[in-house]
Amino acid sequence: MTAFVLPKVPDVTKMLEMLLGDGLTAKPAAPLDAKSGNIVALYVSPDGKPVAAGVCDTAFAAYAGAALSMIPPGGAKDAAKSGDLSATMMGNVHEVMNICSRFLMNDATPHLKLATVHRDGKELPDGSKAFLGAALPRLDMEIDIPRYGKGRLSLLIT
Amino acid sequence: MNILIIDDSSAMRMVVKKTLRMAGFEGHTISEAEDGAAALERIRQSVPDLVLSDWNMPNLSGIDLLAKLGEEGIKVNFGFVTTEATAEMRDKAAGAGAKFLIAKPFTPETFSMTLAPFIKN
């Protein structure tokens, strides 16, 4: 029994399509590691305890971060390759992860909200690393953003 | 009409503006603020016809901004565009005087239906 809820892939697809452009597709994918180079968003309960996480790879962060502000795909592809994500891209990933919080709770669950987004899961505070080390229920997806490219996004709940 | 969009994400402010256009609300003067504190200063100087505000923001949250406006006796059509969309948060928003709450993610149709009573083209 989990405290929070995971969305269905079509729900995430619809939301990302609204934000990032028509024709976006999502499909189940292999799990992403929260602790090795990927971007990690931590969601907390009202008492500040981490209760859920969003993890994405550099490619998703670059492509979603660029698409939300309509940054040309060329710059996004360079960022995906080099890992050098601009402040705008990271800010936009923060907003995408913020909107994902909607999917993790409902009227029957406790409340949570996005607290922080970490560029690299290796930089997470120790308490959060322990939380992410547990075997958590998760949804793992590959997202294809038209004109930009494919990246991976995972949502984990307690 | 003068519409103020408040969100700490510049991309989200852009998405809200785009969605207003897609919902058929065109020809209005749109201004922006990046958090509740900046919005409060702006509203004190000139009260807009409509405020579309995020909830969770640094410096001053949307709900705290709404409370401040009430304390200062500033009357404005104020609604939220937010991920905070549980029944509890909707009740809290309505209790503080918000006229509506649009949940992120939203569609032009949601904007059209919710905002029609507040935006005169």
Side-chain angles (χ1 to χ4, degrees):
Chain A
M1 185 70 185
T2 60
F4 297 92
V5 289
L6 284 171
K8 306 280 185 220
V9 174
D11 299 330
V12 179
T13 307
K14 201 173 147 195
M15 179 273 280
L16 291 176
E17 211 175 4
M18 185 279 287
L19 287 177
L20 307 178
D22 291 341
L24 177 146
T25 59
K27 63 180 185 185
L32 267 181
D33 186 347
K35 290 178 286 181
S36 60
N38 292 311
I39 291 99
V40 179
L42 288 177
Y43 302 94
V44 298
S45 58
D47 62 4
K49 190 176 150 207
V51 289
V55 185
C56 69
D57 61 11
T58 305
F60 178 81
Y63 297 145
L68 189 53
S69 287
M70 290 182 278
I71 294 167
K77 288 180 200 291
D78 290 345
K81 204 176 286 179
S82 67
D84 189 11
L85 302 172
S86 68
T88 301
M89 288 173 184
M90 282 304 293
N92 290 350
V93 169
H94 191 283
E95 188 55 30
V96 170
M97 292 296 193
N98 177 40
I99 294 176
C100 283
S101 69
R102 261 291 305 290
F103 293 125
L104 307 178
M105 62 180 159
N106 58 37
D107 289 338
T109 70
H111 185 263
L112 60 70
K113 71 174 182 179
L114 176 63
T116 49
V117 178
H118 302 264
R119 170 63 187 85
D120 188 334
K122 287 181 204 152
E123 301 160 2
L124 286 168
D126 288 343
S128 306
K129 276 185 188 154
F131 146 76
L132 286 167
L136 299 172
R138 54 191 296 153
L139 174 67
D140 300 288
M141 295 164 287
E142 180 185 83
I143 315 286
D144 190 351
I145 305 172
R147 297 177 56 234
Y148 288 88
K150 292 176 185 170
R152 284 158 65 197
L153 170 68
S154 298
L155 297 171
L156 297 77
I157 59 167
T158 52
Chain B
M1 288 184 68
N2 293 306
I3 302 171
L4 175 61
I5 299 170
I6 315 167
D7 199 306
D8 54 326
S9 161
S10 61
M12 188 47 59
R13 296 197 298 271
M14 194 176 71
V15 171
V16 170
K17 274 196 286 188
K18 185 179 82 174
T19 309
L20 280 170
R21 280 199 306 276
M22 290 169 73
F25 301 120
E26 293 186 88
H28 301 289
T29 304
I30 310 277
S31 54
E32 302 178 29
E34 71 275 14
D35 59 37
L40 182 59
E41 286 306 311
R42 188 179 282 268
I43 294 170
R44 279 174 177 155
Q45 285 165 19
S46 174
V47 181
D49 299 300
L50 178 67
V51 175
L52 302 175
S53 178
D54 190 15
W55 188 299
N56 294 312
M57 293 180 287
N59 300 323
L60 189 67
S61 71
I63 195 77
D64 290 341
L65 168 64
L66 183 54
K68 282 261 183 205
L69 293 174
E71 284 165 23
E72 297 186 18
I74 298 172
K75 294 193 190 320
V76 59
N77 283 328
F78 189 110
F80 287 102
V81 180
T82 175
T83 56
E84 297 286 7
T86 58
E88 183 190 350
M89 295 314 223
R90 285 180 184 276
D91 287 349
K92 199 171 173 187
K99 299 285 172 63
F100 54 85
L101 188 152
I102 295 172
K104 295 176 185 175
F106 44 73
T107 63
E109 291 72 30
T110 312
F111 263 48
S112 182
M113 281 193 319
T114 309
L115 300 180
F118 303 102
I119 303 181
K120 306 293 176 224
N121 272 333

